[in-house]
Amino acid sequence: MTHPFLDLAPLGADRFAAIEDRVARLMDTRQDVVIMQGEALLPLEGAIRAAAGPGTTALNIVTGPYGQTFGDWLRDCGAAVIDLAVPFHTAVTAEEIRQAFAEHPAIDFVSLVHAEAATGNTNPVAEIGEGVRAHGALFYLDAVASIGAEPVLPDAWGVDLCVIGAQKAMGGPAGVSAVSVSERAWARMAANPKAPRRSYLSLLDWKERWIDRGRTALPHAPAQLEMLALEACVERIETAGLEAVMARHASAAAATRAGSVALGGGLEPYVYEARDAAPVATTLRAPSGLVASELVRRALAADPAVPLAAGGGALAKEMIRVNHYGAQATPGAVRASLAALGVALSEQGLPVDVEGALRAAEEAWR
């Protein structure tokens, strides 16, 4: 018995390296890029534990739940952590970060999420990077949600550790992820006695056993199907053109935002300003007196295929998320989401204008 997913020829080191090179081109970076054999939490945690430890003073910027997680990891590493938390309906500013540097000149590590798909905001990394570079701190960036939806430029922005995943805007697999690593970051890891070694979390193992040996022999068997899916995903983006893929996500966000406002029923954007809203997902605030998760349940009952979810944790009461990324960054997915939300709101006795919402979404699609 044969199957297209089985009995494949082994994935060799040359093919693995070629996929890494294509990912590096997607990120427009000359830094080392390591593809790690697991979901993006693997390099996200591995990079923090490699580069931070006792003696590190970290500025951890919290604009959503992932920023909170990074603070927990940094403290567990023994770093002194200064949390800069901003309301989830907005974005951090470069000025707020410069002020933190002025108040805490010992900061030598900065952690930031580019786009928080969970809260629907995005942060101005280019401006922030200028301040981090001027201060001399190591810059760690979670670009898992943003890659493919908006520019991700680690070299131009001065990012030392930039983690991406393929499962959102790239429209690819969840089982592999990648991190670009600057020379400064490698040096910081090498000087950190607490950096993971002989561990699945270890970036230094990849450097010594893979990069430093010319990428000629893989340190362990790769996740073959996920690597091939990543290759296909990158090839699809290359064929369409990264600019076109990002434009499609921006259009989906603009259309969802405009359509939700026109829909009525008390629904409104969760992120106040459009400039702070991520193109990967649009979050909406449920009408007063209604529970977001219940509205999502009703919307999914009307159309189980729509990319809707309630916010996580406490946000499930107030936040609805439209996940218009990857294959769902289309006019059809946006229209279907607005129509399903219209059904859910009308079932609660609220006046809605579905036709008006669909017109507004169509007009906003760029």
Side-chain angles (χ1 to χ4, degrees):
M1 181 178 181
T2 61
H3 192 281
F5 293 159
L6 303 175
D7 305 319
L8 297 171
L11 190 71
D14 56 344
R15 183 81 169 273
F16 194 105
I19 297 170
E20 278 187 341
D21 291 341
R22 294 174 84 167
V23 171
R25 288 194 293 273
L26 182 70
M27 300 171 72
D28 196 19
T29 183
R30 295 191 175 187
Q31 298 178 6
D32 291 325
V33 170
V34 178
I35 296 179
M36 299 192 76
Q37 306 296 281
E39 199 269 337
L41 283 172
L42 175 63
L44 285 170
E45 182 175 359
I48 280 182
R49 294 194 180 278
T56 300
T57 301
L59 176 63
N60 180 51
I61 301 156
V62 182
T63 59
Y66 279 98
Q68 294 170 329
T69 297
F70 299 161
D72 293 339
W73 287 339
L74 286 161
R75 289 182 179 89
D76 191 55
C77 290
V81 181
I82 299 150
D83 284 323
L84 173 55
V86 302
F88 290 176
H89 62 255
T90 186
V92 73
T93 66
E95 178 55 35
E96 287 174 307
I97 293 171
R98 284 192 292 267
Q99 183 61 37
F101 289 150
E103 294 173 3
H104 305 278
I107 291 170
D108 60 359
F109 185 95
V110 175
S111 51
L112 174 69
V113 178
H114 186 185
E116 285 267 13
T119 50
N121 54 29
T122 191
N123 292 297
V125 183
E127 298 171 35
I128 291 167
E130 290 181 11
V132 176
R133 191 162 49 239
H135 187 73
L138 204 73
F139 193 8
Y140 163 100
L141 185 69
D142 171 356
V144 173
S146 54
I147 184 72
E150 54 188 309
V152 173
L153 303 167
D155 292 11
W157 295 343
V159 178
D160 296 287
L161 293 158
C162 185
V163 177
I164 68 167
Q167 70 268 31
K168 287 189 167 65
M170 288 177 65
V176 288
S177 46
V179 53
S180 64
V181 187
S182 72
E183 288 301 321
R184 288 200 323 147
W186 284 129
R188 181 78 68 94
M189 294 180 205
N192 180 10
K194 297 288 188 178
R197 304 304 300 270
R198 294 171 294 282
S199 162
Y200 207 57
L201 287 171
S202 177
L203 283 168
L204 285 173
D205 287 358
W206 276 98
K207 181 174 182 353
E208 293 178 0
R209 299 177 59 194
W210 172 243
I211 294 171
D212 290 350
R213 296 181 182 179
R215 299 191 302 174
T216 56
L218 287 162
H220 55 71
Q224 176 148 313
L225 294 179
E226 287 80 2
M227 287 295 296
L228 294 174
L230 176 62
E231 182 182 48
C233 157
V234 174
E235 182 174 353
R236 186 166 59 184
I237 293 172
E238 291 170 345
T239 300
L242 179 58
E243 292 296 327
V245 175
M246 291 191 295
R248 181 163 53 85
H249 284 83
S251 292
T256 303
R257 190 177 183 90
S260 64
V261 171
L263 183 62
L267 206 62
E268 60 183 31
Y270 189 88
V271 177
Y272 292 171
E273 301 292 338
R275 68 173 181 270
D276 297 333
V280 71
T282 296
T283 48
L284 305 170
R285 192 178 299 275
S288 177
L290 297 184
V291 176
S293 57
E294 174 60 19
L295 286 173
V296 169
R297 186 189 69 77
R298 289 175 179 272
L300 290 173
D303 186 349
V306 293
L308 296 176
L315 294 175
K317 294 182 179 180
E318 62 182 20
M319 180 189 288
I320 298 167
R321 193 170 70 242
V322 186
N323 294 316
H324 44 66
Y325 53 72
Q328 300 290 0
T330 64
V334 172
R335 287 195 300 267
S337 297
L338 293 170
L341 286 170
V343 171
L345 290 166
S346 63
E347 287 179 352
Q348 297 296 302
L350 295 171
V352 294
D353 181 4
V354 174
E355 291 302 319
L358 298 180
R359 284 196 302 272
E362 182 177 359
E363 290 169 2
W365 192 279
R366 305 184 187 113

